[in-house]
Amino acid sequence: MPSKMTDEFVARSHILHRAFSERPAKIVGGDGISLILENGKKVIDASCGPSVSCLGHTQPEIFEAITNHLKNDIAYVYSGSPYTNGATEELADILLAEKPGGLTKAIFVNSGSEATDAALKLAIQYWHERGQPQRTHFISRKQSYHGNTIGALCVSGHESRREFYKDFMSSNVSFVDPCYAYRMKGEAESNKDFVQRLARQFEDEIIRVGPDRVAGFVAETVSGTTLGCLPAVPGYFKAIRDICDKYDVLLILDEIICGMGKTGTMHAWEQEGISGPDIQTIGKALGAGFVPLSGVLLRQKIFDALSAGSGGLAHGHTFQAHPLACAAAIAAQKIIKRDNLIERAAQMGRKLEALLLKEIGPLPLVGDIRGRGLFWAIEFVLDKDSKTAFLPQDKFCGKVVKIALGMGLNLLGNLGHTGEYQVDHVLVCPPYTTTDAELATIVSLLKAAILKTSQPFVVGEQRDESPNGKVNVKVAQTEIVEI
């Protein structure tokens, strides 16, 4: 028998839903950047789901491209066969014709998790082809997230998502600190000193493991759901790139959530002053949510090693490089280029930043606002000065998300306990097509949801933090607007 906490619809449905306690609302359509529910209500999708639907939910050109492809081209080609197809080749040309950062080849897969697995396997094969099969160790970062398959979880520092599968986690992975300046940088520590400290830690870890055993370093260029749209401080990735070059370690950048224009440039690493990664994963905005599609981009030296060695890629999936998915992504990328939407994301991002700082920043439980382009997050704290975090059981950001949804605003909060630092945040990453008026509405509704959620936490000066005592919390009083 289902638990009393399980919703009746969820118990009856033949879909194993990801959450059991509440009945999910049924979406029946889309209208621009909004979702249309079964009851006729519209919900502004201010997070693009998990930062996927970057062109909104209504793109007739993409719908037409999909139907035209099915009418006039091949629906499916097996990537392991002696064939290719026009859509797959064209999408790779669109992405790599100018060889950004020296990236020259692509692998197309379905999900971001698959892309991470493919990137890890590609790195291992590269070192085998180079005659260094002992290089099997990866260094990743704490409180990171690179996907939910076993391989991707092995290099993810997301503690609660790893919890059930600890026995399957690889011993060939170790973790260093993320570049989380808001909580980790010392009061008297400059950005330069902070970067040097993290760089030393990374280099020390390479030396501890053994430089001849390290295959690669895996990092999100801008952290996504675990730390909330967190860019690195200036100089961090330059220092990391230099250390990777010094020890011949592959730099693998995960831009599944932050790339493809989200931060105001096609690739987030273009803002880091580096030549580029050796391997890069992309996804989400690649197909703009109309199809499942992610990818792996790699430098010429990776291809050259495989070409000079075994002469092929020792990895593959049945639905790898699916022609229909690639055709839809071609249409999405052509719209983005034609309408200058990446430049627009940078411009609208500056407007969103100004709105967030003005309207959300002064609220008493808002600790930090961070991001780039149209990829932003708000981190909540009990006290601005001490940066006292909420307890996990408070589920503060989850309550903000729920209240906002009731107001007609779809947001994304953190996805479970990610590690040492409790990070309560919501992501605000609207589509590239969002208008000024829509940005203003998003921020207005977000502010109202935060104020409503804050009400129980701003009426007193003390709260129980542990069974052993109380901690004084200096929370400013604020006027709470009833919604």
Side-chain angles (χ1 to χ4, degrees):
M1 291 292 293
S3 163
K4 291 181 180 180
M5 298 296 290
T6 301
D7 174 79
E8 181 182 351
F9 171 84
V10 173
R12 189 174 67 251
S13 172
H14 290 292
I15 292 292
L16 182 60
H17 290 272
R18 290 177 67 171
F20 292 178
S21 61
E22 294 184 17
R23 176 172 181 160
K26 186 176 182 180
I27 294 173
V28 296
D31 180 16
I33 73 166
S34 295
L35 305 166
I36 303 174
L37 304 186
E38 189 175 29
N39 61 8
K41 183 178 180 180
K42 285 188 178 181
V43 176
I44 297 173
D45 192 4
S47 64
C48 296
S51 196
V52 173
S53 303
C54 66
L55 297 181
H57 300 285
T58 314
Q59 286 293 340
E61 290 178 70
I62 297 179
F63 305 158
E64 185 178 359
I66 290 171
T67 55
N68 284 343
H69 182 87
L70 289 173
K71 289 177 183 177
N72 302 313
D73 213 320
I74 189 71
Y76 169 72
V77 175
Y78 175 43
S79 65
S81 68
Y83 307 110
T84 188
N85 67 89
T88 300
E89 297 288 346
E90 184 179 353
L91 180 58
D93 287 345
I94 288 172
L95 297 175
L96 298 172
E98 296 180 3
K99 299 181 175 59
L103 300 166
T104 61
K105 301 288 182 182
I107 304 168
F108 294 120
V109 293
N110 301 292
S111 69
S113 299
E114 286 180 32
T116 298
D117 281 11
L120 298 177
K121 292 174 72 176
L122 179 64
I124 293 298
Q125 183 180 353
Y126 169 77
W127 288 117
H128 273 264
E129 309 284 22
R130 286 271 310 269
Q132 300 181 53
Q134 78 283 357
R135 283 191 183 247
T136 58
H137 190 95
F138 289 94
I139 299 173
S140 188
R141 300 192 299 184
K142 300 171 184 175
Q143 295 192 241
S144 58
Y145 182 64
H146 302 287
N148 230 358
T149 56
I150 293 297
L153 272 180
C154 284
V155 293
S156 296
H158 192 303
E159 291 188 3
S160 63
R161 288 203 165 187
R162 290 166 58 95
E163 182 66 28
F164 283 132
Y165 316 106
K166 284 182 177 178
D167 291 343
F168 294 91
M169 296 294 98
S170 174
S171 60
N172 287 356
V173 181
S174 56
F175 296 89
V176 294
D177 289 328
C179 190
Y180 186 17
Y182 175 65
R183 291 195 179 276
M184 292 178 56
K185 193 174 80 167
E187 289 186 13
E189 193 174 29
S190 67
N191 280 344
K192 182 178 179 181
D193 291 340
F194 183 50
V195 165
Q196 289 178 345
R197 175 158 63 88
L198 294 178
R200 280 196 303 272
Q201 184 191 44
F202 174 49
E203 185 168 14
D204 288 346
E205 182 62 10
I206 292 175
I207 293 169
R208 184 193 71 81
V209 173
D212 63 337
R213 289 191 55 233
V214 179
F217 176 65
V218 185
E220 300 157 279
T221 315
V222 179
S223 296
T225 55
T226 54
L227 293 175
C229 302
L230 176 67
V233 299
Y236 171 79
F237 277 107
K238 175 70 166 58
I240 294 296
R241 176 77 265 184
D242 289 346
I243 293 169
C244 286
D245 291 341
K246 178 179 178 180
Y247 293 99
D248 202 11
V249 169
L250 296 177
L251 176 59
I252 304 172
L253 291 183
D254 177 349
E255 296 205 358
I256 291 164
I257 193 168
C258 68
M260 303 307 297
K262 205 78 58 70
T263 64
T265 51
M266 176 63 84
H267 307 290
W269 55 259
E270 292 179 272
Q271 300 175 54
E272 299 298 339
I274 63 173
S275 59
D278 299 301
I279 298 173
Q280 176 182 341
T281 54
I282 57 175
K284 297 189 185 294
L286 174 61
F290 294 96
V291 290
L293 188 67
S294 290
V296 180
L297 309 179
L298 52 135
R299 280 196 175 189
Q300 185 67 29
K301 74 173 186 178
I302 308 291
F303 173 76
D304 289 343
L306 272 60
S307 178
S310 61
L313 174 64
H315 174 79
H317 289 287
T318 299
F319 294 109
Q320 183 170 317
H322 195 283
L324 181 62
C326 291
I330 289 168
Q333 294 306 310
K334 285 183 175 179
I335 290 170
I336 288 170
K337 183 175 182 180
R338 182 197 67 203
D339 296 345
N340 296 314
L341 292 183
I342 295 178
E343 293 84 351
R344 190 174 189 279
Q347 177 189 16
M348 297 301 286
R350 289 189 287 271
K351 294 181 179 181
L352 176 58
E353 178 184 13
L355 280 170
L356 291 173
L357 292 174
K358 178 183 177 183
E359 300 295 333
I360 307 299
L363 300 183
L365 303 184
V366 171
D368 192 32
I369 294 174
R370 53 182 177 258
R372 288 179 185 166
L374 284 174
F375 192 60
W376 287 86
I378 298 95
E379 180 171 349
F380 303 109
V381 292
L382 273 168
D383 177 47
K384 287 177 180 278
D385 295 331
S386 65
K387 302 177 184 177
T388 305
F390 286 92
L391 297 176
Q393 56 265 36
D394 289 329
K395 298 181 180 178
F396 186 87
C397 69
K399 292 173 182 175
V400 172
V401 170
K402 186 174 181 179
I403 289 173
L405 187 58
M407 298 175 177
L409 182 68
N410 187 59
L411 299 168
L412 183 67
N414 67 9
L415 302 176
H417 174 67
T418 60
E420 177 183 354
Y421 297 99
Q422 172 65 18
V423 187
D424 266 276
H425 65 75
V426 293
L427 268 61
V428 182
C429 33
Y432 303 167
T433 54
T434 305
T435 65
D436 287 2
E438 287 167 336
L439 283 184
T441 300
I442 288 168
V443 173
S444 177
L445 291 172
L446 172 62
K447 182 178 182 179
I450 295 171
L451 286 170
K452 184 70 173 177
T453 310
S454 299
Q455 189 167 5
F457 297 92
V458 297
V459 295
E461 294 185 351
Q462 286 192 331
R463 79 181 244 102
D464 282 321
E465 180 109 306
S466 71
N468 299 322
K470 292 185 176 181
V471 175
N472 286 323
V473 180
K474 301 174 184 176
V475 180
Q477 297 294 323
T478 187
E479 179 183 0
I480 302 299
V481 180
E482 289 294 334
I483 305 301

